[in-house]
Amino acid sequence: MTPSTAQLLADRSASGGSGGRRGAAPDLTELIPQWLATANQQGFRAPAALLPALLDAARARTDLRPQALAFAGPRGLWLAGLNPEWKFALRGSSGGSSLPDPTEPEAVTRLWEEGLFAERVALLGAVRARDPAAALVLLATTWSTERAEDRLMFLDSLRTGLSAVDEPFLEQALSDRSRNVRSTAAELLSALPESALAGRMASRALSCVSPDVTGDEASVAVEAPHECDAAMERDGVVAAPPSGRGERSWWLGQLVEATPLATWPARFGGRTAREIVGLPVADGWAEELHAAWCRATVRQRDPEWARALLGAPSVPPSNGPGTASLAERSKLLGILPTAERAGWVADFVAAHGLSEAFQLLGVCPTPWAEPLGRAVVDALDIARDAGSYPWSFSGVMGLAERCLNPAEADRLEVLTTTPDEPEDASPGANGYWSEAFQRLVSTLRLRAAMDSELIPT
């Protein structure tokens, strides 16, 4: 028997999640996001009697809010307006009011000039989805009178559907009186490879980074900027480096990050991204240059460069071609197609185990594809057999409960037994592992039952 919505919500404060939890029973609170996502996909709406508990759950857990508010529907927004503790529900909505049709200019103008901030953000998004140029015209009508923080939020909304149509407006925003607005405008322009700003940044970067061929050997020569002039600052280069960073390396990183990646193959004699990244970099500039290329790749969403900078999953992060930062590597993985992403992480887990894989697993689509799910379970089994300290894997075990394919439950049954404990194992470790695998199998079966009840066959 699967839990009802009321049971899931009632259990949400019973524990803090799977990490460190004992016992073999599934943690219902960790199943709420999946249950809500599936219910929304099938078009269900929350019963009126459960709306208070649903809004309380969303207030306590920000990760639940998008799905919880969708499940609550218009009635939930109406109810949220009656209780100050639920006002968070109104921030990302149009305040419960319906937006005017984007084709009705008078109604659009009236709401734009008189509406609440949340309504105006929603309106700008609706107009932009239909006609990006019209959204820019609307934004321009009040731009000069908006508060700096509001200008920043409106500008940030242009990330969706960003195109060359936005360049004139963004180019003007480079002269905005707010540094944050100028910086965001520059970032958006640099994501447009054909923009004038991208061209200016490429010209600067090319003066700093060049091929150096000596005999049959090629390398990368770097001459970082010696100053940050006013033109560079207008184009978004922040002059003052963070504490502990040198000025020249700071400026160089920003120039390379904002340069279109298509610039570099021509600069390096037609070499591919993988070949360029593999070249030795002179004078200790490799880490700074590769890190900047990583940021450029994430900004420009370039799969070829992502593959080059990630390198082979069998190579330890500290020896990889790009960055050793797992957070940056996770961002690079997010650019790859979903199947390729899961395959790369599966190979990484098989080569290095789970100690450095948690962040990488978090960017893989769920349920995990078969190679990835098998690699994670095998790594957990190896860790148990080696007598590893079990609580250090509780985070990955919690991920597995939520992300493994429920069809894997029967295959994992064999792992629920308690084998003999190695002499050098942590005391009671095998008992913990047995409980954890029992909870994993129980959770997978419960997820399968939940899906079967929510999804019509």
Side-chain angles (χ1 to χ4, degrees), residues 298 323-333 356 359-360 363:
V298 172
T323 172
S325 165
L326 291 173
E328 291 293 335
R329 291 164 79 85
S330 297
K331 294 176 183 177
L332 292 172
L333 279 168
E356 295 186 301
Q359 282 185 289
L360 305 182
V363 300

Side-chain angles (χ1 to χ4, degrees), residues 209 220 222 252 256 264 281 285-294:
V209 181
V220 181
V222 175
L252 173 72
V256 173
W264 301 111
V281 182
W285 285 104
E287 183 177 353
E288 182 65 52
L289 180 61
H290 287 178
W293 274 335
C294 284

Side-chain angles (χ1 to χ4, degrees), residues 102-103 123-139 158 160-161 163 165-166:
T103 62
L123 176 65
L124 185 64
V127 175
R128 184 166 177 80
R130 184 181 183 278
D131 186 346
L136 290 178
V137 171
L138 183 67
L139 185 55
L158 300 185
T160 301
S163 72
V165 172
D166 303 310

